[in-house]
Amino acid sequence: METGFRKWIIVVTIITSTIIELIDTTIVNVSINTMSGNLGASLEDTAWVITSYAIANVIIIPMTSFLAEKIGRKQYYIGSIILFTLASAMCGFSHNLWELVGFRFIQGIGGGALLSTSQSILFETFPVKERGTASGIFSLGIIIGPSIGPVLGGYIVDNLSWQWIFYVNIPIGLMAAILSYAYLRPSTRSTDGRSIDWLGIFLLAIGIGSLQIVLERGETDDWFSATYILVLSIIAGIALLILIWWELRIKYPVINLRVLKSTTLSISAIMTFVLGFGLFSAVFVFPLYAQRVIGYSAFQTGTMLLPGTLMAAMISPFLGKMLQSGLRPQYLIITGFGLSAIFGYLMSGSNLETGSASFFIPLLFRGVGAALLIVPLTALAVSELKPADIPQGAALNNMMRQMGGSFGIAMINTYIAHRAAANRTALVTHITSSDPATHERIQLGIRNFMAHGANYMRAVQQALGALEATVAKQTFLLSYMNAFLLLAIMNAACIPLVIITIKKKTAQKSDVKMTIPDH
């Protein structure tokens, strides 16, 4: 526990580290086209810049508690910041795609370690009575990071070179490392002589790594039509089953799955998975819709996400205090899922004429809904754990959010592709030479293009091309609307889960006080 100036310096350092780690999960997305051209690689290959970071993140997150104990939390945290910062610099210096992919993986190893370790340090910094507030503060990074990534990335790509996406991390990372060294309390490494669970580490890396590749690349390569996707799916299933058996069998596992005996943590992990699904999927679908259908730039799209993000940032600390005062977290969670469902429902009613002003309220609901979910779920997940189990519980909960994001993006991407095929079929069945409306539209197009200097044959080609472009645009519009409606249904479906599955005993404890055990 810290007080005064030292406490708030630690808070600023922790939040900054969390934000830059999560910014890097989305900041690269808007620069893939630019990277592809500059590095002379295909878009499909360049997508591995995103995939490698996600794989490294999900592999390292559940191991952070174990590694922090073996190395010492302060040492591990500072080492992770330095690794993340150096890898960021090397990403910018990369001369070819696969060099960049390799350094992105190393960057993900350093960055993923920051997330759960940051949460544990923040909880230790605050006294027990203020840990609801600590959850609210930690949630700032989780909310702000993924949302501000596209804005920052779009601005950098429009005004500088793509390398600066990575260079901006260097001064921030160095400052965070210096402040951590100066203000974090020294922590001792584990001296109980426990052996390192090498088999657990291997199974975790193989299982989670294979699963992440399947999720990230499945839609691009037509899922099980690709042999490597099928093989990796089998490897992931076998490795994860053996991992669960092994980790429950040995005395000192790299992932202490026994903490999932806590009903509260298990339920929170399920809801956190859905939260990650909705949080990352919304940030994935909305930019695609805004840029491909409405025609906004990456920077314009990012700025539309800002009001909701700022609102979420403003209310997060107050939500923590509300929990601390005795408000049931279930009420906030239900409201959060409700607002997230409303966001999806309102967006599903958009059309080609919808302007940025019409997005303001739905995106505001998205931001506030995310805050109402992240803050109570972050606190609730570890509220009934023993002090020694809190880091492992936090790591598992963070892994579920990241996994939810990966599943969400993969599922939404596949769903959009399938709906696009179905929607196009439904549209073109009405476009026939015998249809009066179609005939009239083509003739109007021919006359228009001939009036602008085209001969008849050229005008016919241009009119048919314009009709095809209209069909393609409507197909994308309907597909994205279907995706938003799916998000609405998924969020709404979680509300009964909150009501039914959280035990009355847990609710009564939350009525008295939302606390997290002291370390």
Side-chain angles (χ1 to χ4, degrees):
M1 185 182 73
E2 304 290 349
T3 58
F5 178 76
R6 186 188 195 100
K7 178 173 79 171
W8 292 107
I9 283 290
I10 292 174
V11 167
V12 171
T13 303
I14 295 300
I15 295 304
T16 301
S17 301
T18 302
I19 288 173
I20 63 170
E21 196 282 324
L22 288 169
I23 280 177
D24 271 65
T25 62
T26 57
I27 194 172
V28 175
N29 296 23
V30 296
S31 63
I32 288 296
N33 282 331
T34 305
M35 287 182 182
S36 175
N38 289 353
L39 296 171
S42 67
L43 279 173
E44 183 180 89
D45 287 341
T46 310
W48 279 100
V49 176
I50 299 172
T51 304
S52 61
Y53 187 86
I55 291 171
N57 255 214
V58 178
I59 288 174
I60 199 67
I61 284 174
M63 295 169 54
T64 53
S65 173
F66 173 82
L67 293 173
E69 286 184 13
K70 294 299 291 184
I71 300 171
R73 183 172 295 157
K74 178 178 179 177
Q75 298 92 313
Y76 180 54
Y77 187 68
I78 294 173
S80 297
I81 295 175
I82 293 172
L83 181 63
F84 177 85
T85 305
L86 288 176
S88 296
M90 296 310 297
C91 284
F93 296 145
S94 297
H95 295 97
N96 61 69
L97 175 63
W98 300 113
E99 188 179 334
L100 174 59
V101 169
F103 285 120
R104 272 286 280 179
F105 184 84
I106 296 172
Q107 186 192 36
I109 293 290
L114 296 178
L115 203 58
S116 298
T117 314
S118 292
Q119 186 175 357
S120 298
I121 293 172
L122 194 61
F123 284 152
E124 285 185 344
T125 301
F126 283 77
V128 174
K129 65 180 182 179
E130 295 180 9
R131 286 192 181 147
T133 303
S135 295
I137 293 173
F138 179 73
S139 301
L140 289 176
I142 298 174
I143 296 168
I144 293 173
S147 298
I148 205 174
V151 186
L152 185 59
Y155 180 83
I156 290 173
V157 169
D158 289 346
N159 295 278
L160 299 167
S161 65
W162 65 263
Q163 287 89 344
W164 281 96
I165 285 175
F166 303 109
Y167 292 154
V168 294
N169 291 330
I170 298 173
I172 299 173
L174 290 176
M175 183 59 66
I178 292 169
L179 291 175
S180 298
Y181 180 78
Y183 290 99
L184 288 183
R185 298 288 183 187
S187 53
T188 57
R189 65 186 66 185
S190 174
T191 56
D192 56 12
R194 67 175 68 179
S195 59
I196 297 176
D197 179 17
W198 292 112
L199 179 58
I201 292 173
F202 173 77
L203 291 170
L204 176 67
I206 294 296
I208 294 294
S210 299
L211 180 60
Q212 279 292 110
I213 293 173
V214 170
L215 292 174
E216 296 280 346
R217 305 296 299 169
E219 175 58 29
T220 302
D221 293 330
D222 198 21
W223 293 102
F224 299 115
S225 297
T227 303
Y228 87 96
I229 292 290
L230 180 62
V231 171
L232 287 177
S233 298
I234 295 171
I235 291 173
I238 294 173
L240 291 176
L241 285 174
I242 297 174
L243 174 68
I244 293 170
W245 171 79
W246 176 254
E247 297 300 274
L248 291 174
R249 179 176 176 271
I250 64 172
K251 187 175 181 181
Y252 299 117
V254 68
I255 309 175
N256 184 12
L257 296 177
R258 297 179 185 92
V259 298
L260 290 174
K261 290 180 180 178
S262 166
T263 305
T264 303
L265 175 60
S266 299
I267 294 171
S268 297
I270 295 171
M271 291 189 290
T272 299
F273 181 90
V274 177
L275 165 65
F277 189 111
L279 187 67
F280 287 94
S281 295
V283 176
F284 173 75
V285 174
F286 179 75
L288 285 177
Y289 163 64
Q291 293 174 55
R292 296 182 72 174
V293 177
I294 309 270
Y296 291 158
S297 69
F299 182 67
Q300 286 174 319
T301 303
T303 55
M304 283 192 289
L305 293 168
L306 275 182
T309 302
L310 293 174
M311 179 63 73
M314 289 171 59
I315 68 172
S316 290
F318 297 103
L319 294 176
K321 291 182 179 180
M322 291 166 66
L323 288 172
Q324 196 63 51
S325 67
L327 178 68
R328 288 188 180 185
Q330 293 94 316
Y331 294 157
L332 295 180
I333 294 170
I334 290 171
T335 306
F337 278 126
L339 288 176
S340 299
I342 292 172
F343 157 74
Y345 177 75
L346 292 176
M347 290 299 300
S348 71
S350 303
N351 56 55
L352 295 177
E353 304 301 321
T354 304
S356 57
S358 302
F359 298 137
F360 181 79
I361 296 299
L363 290 173
L364 204 63
F365 284 167
R366 186 200 76 86
V368 174
L372 290 171
L373 289 170
I374 292 171
V375 176
L377 284 175
T378 300
L380 189 64
V382 296
S383 62
E384 292 186 350
L385 298 180
K386 297 176 182 178
D389 292 335
I390 288 177
Q392 186 67 73
L396 286 171
N397 202 51
N398 285 324
M399 184 188 74
M400 291 301 289
R401 182 174 53 253
Q402 298 299 99
M403 287 292 291
S406 295
F407 269 92
I409 291 173
M411 180 176 173
I412 285 291
N413 201 21
T414 303
Y415 181 71
I416 289 172
H418 289 171
R419 291 308 304 160
N423 289 329
R424 180 177 175 82
T425 301
L427 288 172
V428 297
T429 53
H430 298 286
I431 302 175
T432 62
S433 57
S434 60
D435 178 50
T438 303
H439 180 74
E440 182 181 348
R441 187 182 186 94
I442 292 174
Q443 291 302 315
L444 182 63
I446 292 172
R447 289 194 295 271
N448 178 59
F449 288 118
M450 288 182 69
H452 287 80
N455 60 39
Y456 179 75
M457 292 304 296
R458 179 62 178 164
V460 170
Q461 291 176 343
Q462 289 176 320
L464 292 174
L467 182 60
E468 166 61 25
T470 300
V471 170
K473 199 165 190 178
Q474 287 288 349
T475 298
F476 280 127
L477 172 67
L478 292 172
S479 302
Y480 291 128
M481 297 309 98
N482 294 153
F484 284 124
L485 187 59
L486 177 64
L487 290 177
I489 292 170
M490 287 199 63
N491 281 286
C494 284
I495 294 176
L497 178 67
V498 182
I499 297 171
I500 295 171
T501 58
I502 295 184
K503 290 184 177 181
K504 188 175 181 181
K505 179 181 177 182
T506 305
Q508 290 171 339
K509 286 185 178 182
S510 300
D511 271 343
V512 177
K513 203 170 196 182
M514 188 64 185
T515 62
I516 298 172
D518 201 355
H519 284 243

